[in-house]
Amino acid sequence: METPKEQQTKKAIPIAKKNSNIAFPVMTWGIRNHFQSIGVLVTLLVLATIYLTGNNNLRSSHDSPATHKNAGDSPSQCNLFSGKWVFDNSSHPLYSGKQCTYMSDEVACEKFGRKDLSYQNWRWQPHQCDLPRFNATALLEILRGKRLVYVGDSLNRGQWVSMVCLVESSIPRSQKSMHSNGSLNTFKAIEYNATIEFYWSPLLLESNSDHPYNHRVADRIVRIKAIEKHARYWTDADILVFNSYLWWRRPTMKLLWGSFDRSDGIYKEVEILRSYKMALQTWSDWLDMHVNRNKTQLFFVSMSPTHSRKSEWSNERGGNCYNETKMITKEGYWGEGSDPKMMRLVEAAIEELGKRGLTVKMLNITQMSEYRKEAHPSIYRKQWDLLTQRQISNPSSYADCNHWCLPGVPDNWNELLYTLLLPSSSS
């Protein structure tokens, strides 16, 4: 990862590079034959026009997929998720947090007093290729007449807020709207007849934590075979972006076979990996039965890491992400807040769906986000409960090290999603 000092003089905008393999057609002309025929001149003009048109298209970065640095590489060979963070105060942040109409107070760190804003100026740079510059208009064209729906927990909600902020400034006030209906929140770009939505379903399946606001329950229960209550809200979506991880981080989960409305249900405490695998099976079966393979694009966002123990990245005991202003620079750093076994279960479920002819792309944001211990809200967010004097005297005791400030890390997740949504990236 390059430091701000090393990057200040570099050109920072990651525009796709021109393909060096396309050459201008060469033709040898003798002096005597220079005016030989009008037909030949017309042919030359046509060839030149074709070349120039193609060359101009190559320069349009917002219409191009991730462009490889090594000639001959195909787009499928680039690992978008292997890279480094590069300081770039020319192109990032991609929007103003204070000016985003729909910013959430849970992640509006600048609004709630954070002074060090350098966490906003980093962009993700894959090792093997350059990402196209995010273009809101290009994305809205992709979404014209379509539904993009994020389904999951508050981390997915943060990514949804990020995407709304990324596009809404390019839309006139009269041409955009926001509507909430229980667990479903819908941003609409009216001119494009496009929606960017978030559906609250922290455990994917039906649970006693499904209320969009009153979901903090001590005894968490998942109805393990039930997903239809939620899925009916996003059955006809064109793009589905799922996540579900943080709410599963406990030794066991209480599972219910039966209904919350009946007294004859069977409850059982089940070890978390087995519970998670069973939930993914229900999710997979629903996708297999209901998703239109010719219409819907599917994504699953990997684990969003937490930075709750300072001892994981330093020699200091106690503390967490509070007062952190620099990222972790150790390459390959992996904290205890991310569980590789759970991630492998998701990968296995996606692989099995692939065998059934259903493609789900993993948006693997875990490693890139592991480095960003300084980018959490910490104490700089709206506090929904009145703080006690004890908490006030010890800020790290109420620091939020799970979610992410906006603008910030989730914008980069959406840049990766945008890259994968570009038409030439789907091949």
Side-chain angles (χ1 to χ4, degrees):
M1 281 156 297
E2 302 179 44
T3 65
K5 186 174 181 180
E6 293 170 338
Q7 289 298 320
Q8 283 174 348
T9 59
K10 291 187 177 181
K11 186 175 182 181
I13 300 175
I15 298 178
K17 297 178 182 178
K18 184 167 62 178
N19 188 338
S20 59
N21 293 329
I22 297 180
F24 185 83
V26 178
M27 193 176 287
T28 304
W29 292 85
I31 294 176
R32 294 182 209 172
N33 300 325
H34 189 66
F35 298 100
Q36 191 171 31
S37 81
I38 295 176
V40 174
L41 287 174
V42 171
T43 300
L44 179 60
L45 288 172
V46 170
L47 289 172
T49 301
I50 293 172
Y51 166 73
L52 290 172
T53 302
N55 206 32
N56 286 337
N57 288 337
L58 287 171
R59 290 174 184 159
S60 181
S61 65
H62 61 266
D63 288 330
S64 305
T67 303
H68 281 256
K69 297 177 179 179
N70 300 320
D73 285 348
S74 67
S76 61
Q77 291 175 314
C78 178
N79 182 357
L80 299 177
F81 315 114
S82 175
K84 62 182 179 179
W85 288 99
V86 175
F87 188 79
D88 181 355
N89 58 2
S90 297
S91 70
H92 286 60
L94 295 167
Y95 57 88
S96 166
K98 288 185 174 181
Q99 294 177 7
C100 177
T101 309
Y102 307 104
M103 177 61 68
S104 167
D105 283 349
E106 291 182 316
V107 293
C109 302
E110 183 179 3
K111 176 181 176 180
F112 286 90
R114 180 158 180 175
K115 302 301 181 186
D116 168 39
L117 302 179
S118 61
Y119 66 88
Q120 299 181 0
N121 300 125
W122 296 85
R123 64 172 172 83
W124 182 247
Q125 173 64 57
H127 288 313
Q128 299 172 316
C129 57
D130 294 326
L131 295 176
R133 177 188 288 183
F134 183 87
N135 185 294
T137 303
L139 177 63
L140 288 167
E141 284 295 345
I142 292 171
L143 297 181
R144 184 180 288 277
K146 296 180 180 178
R147 293 179 68 201
L148 163 59
V149 185
Y150 292 85
V151 178
D153 59 23
S154 55
L155 289 159
N156 228 19
R157 181 171 59 210
Q159 188 174 354
W160 166 72
V161 173
S162 161
M163 183 62 88
V164 171
C165 289
L166 282 165
V167 303
E168 67 99 14
S169 63
S170 65
I171 304 172
R173 181 174 297 181
S174 63
Q175 292 297 310
K176 57 189 174 186
S177 66
M178 180 71 77
H179 176 70
S180 295
N181 181 18
S183 295
L184 184 65
N185 298 273
T186 303
F187 169 80
K188 185 168 187 177
I190 297 170
E191 178 186 350
Y192 295 88
N193 189 30
T195 61
I196 302 173
E197 307 171 38
F198 169 71
Y199 185 85
W200 171 260
S201 182
L203 294 147
L204 291 183
L205 310 188
E206 187 177 341
S207 76
N208 64 344
S209 302
D210 289 341
H211 194 282
Y213 310 112
N214 301 320
H215 46 247
R216 295 182 184 178
V217 294
D219 189 22
R220 197 170 294 166
I221 304 171
V222 177
R223 191 176 169 212
I224 197 61
K225 293 293 185 179
I227 194 172
E228 190 60 39
K229 175 185 174 182
H230 298 318
R232 61 194 177 97
Y233 287 97
W234 28 268
T235 298
D236 64 343
D238 299 274
I239 303 164
L240 279 168
V241 183
F242 295 96
N243 93 317
S244 186
Y245 167 66
L246 197 59
W247 283 62
W248 293 92
R249 290 287 287 158
R250 48 177 54 204
T252 63
M253 182 70 75
K254 182 178 284 189
L255 306 183
L256 166 63
W257 283 263
S259 170
F260 285 111
D261 300 325
R262 297 174 59 92
S263 59
D264 57 353
I266 300 173
Y267 294 84
K268 187 175 181 180
E269 289 278 351
V270 179
E271 185 270 332
I272 201 61
L273 286 177
R274 188 180 174 198
S275 300
Y276 193 54
K277 184 177 181 179
M278 293 168 70
L280 289 171
Q281 186 63 56
T282 300
W283 169 79
S284 298
D285 289 343
W286 185 90
L287 292 177
D288 187 30
M289 291 290 293
H290 295 89
V291 164
N292 184 339
R293 288 159 169 76
N294 297 320
K295 171 186 176 182
T296 306
Q297 296 184 67
L298 300 167
F299 299 88
F300 199 104
V301 183
S302 69
M303 303 175 297
S304 175
T306 61
H307 294 92
S308 301
R309 295 191 180 111
K310 194 169 185 175
S311 59
E312 293 181 15
W313 60 81
S314 76
N315 295 323
E316 298 181 38
R317 292 191 176 185
N320 47 32
C321 70
Y322 171 68
N323 224 20
E324 293 287 344
T325 57
K326 295 181 180 180
M327 73 174 66
I328 295 168
T329 56
K330 180 182 178 183
E331 188 173 355
Y333 168 82
W334 192 277
E336 295 179 9
S338 300
D339 189 335
K341 293 180 180 179
M342 294 185 73
M343 195 161 171
R344 283 195 288 270
L345 289 176
V346 175
E347 291 169 345
I350 290 175
E351 183 178 353
E352 181 59 33
L353 282 169
K355 294 177 182 178
R356 298 194 231 175
L358 194 62
T359 300
V360 181
K361 295 181 181 180
M362 174 77 87
L363 197 65
N364 191 348
I365 54 86
T366 307
Q367 183 65 81
M368 64 184 288
S369 306
E370 284 280 6
Y371 302 118
R372 300 302 305 276
K373 63 179 171 64
E374 91 296 0
H376 295 285
S378 182
I379 64 173
Y380 303 105
R381 53 168 289 177
K382 181 176 182 177
Q383 303 299 326
W384 302 105
D385 300 317
L386 189 65
L387 297 174
T388 66
Q389 286 301 318
R390 186 174 182 178
Q391 287 176 313
I392 294 172
S393 64
N394 180 20
S396 64
S397 67
Y398 67 95
D400 179 354
C401 301
N402 295 333
H403 301 93
W404 303 92
C405 294
L406 289 180
V409 171
D411 303 324
N412 292 269
W413 302 348
N414 279 323
E415 285 187 276
L416 295 174
L417 177 62
Y418 168 71
T419 300
L420 294 172
L421 287 174
L422 288 172
S424 47
S425 295
S426 59
S427 57

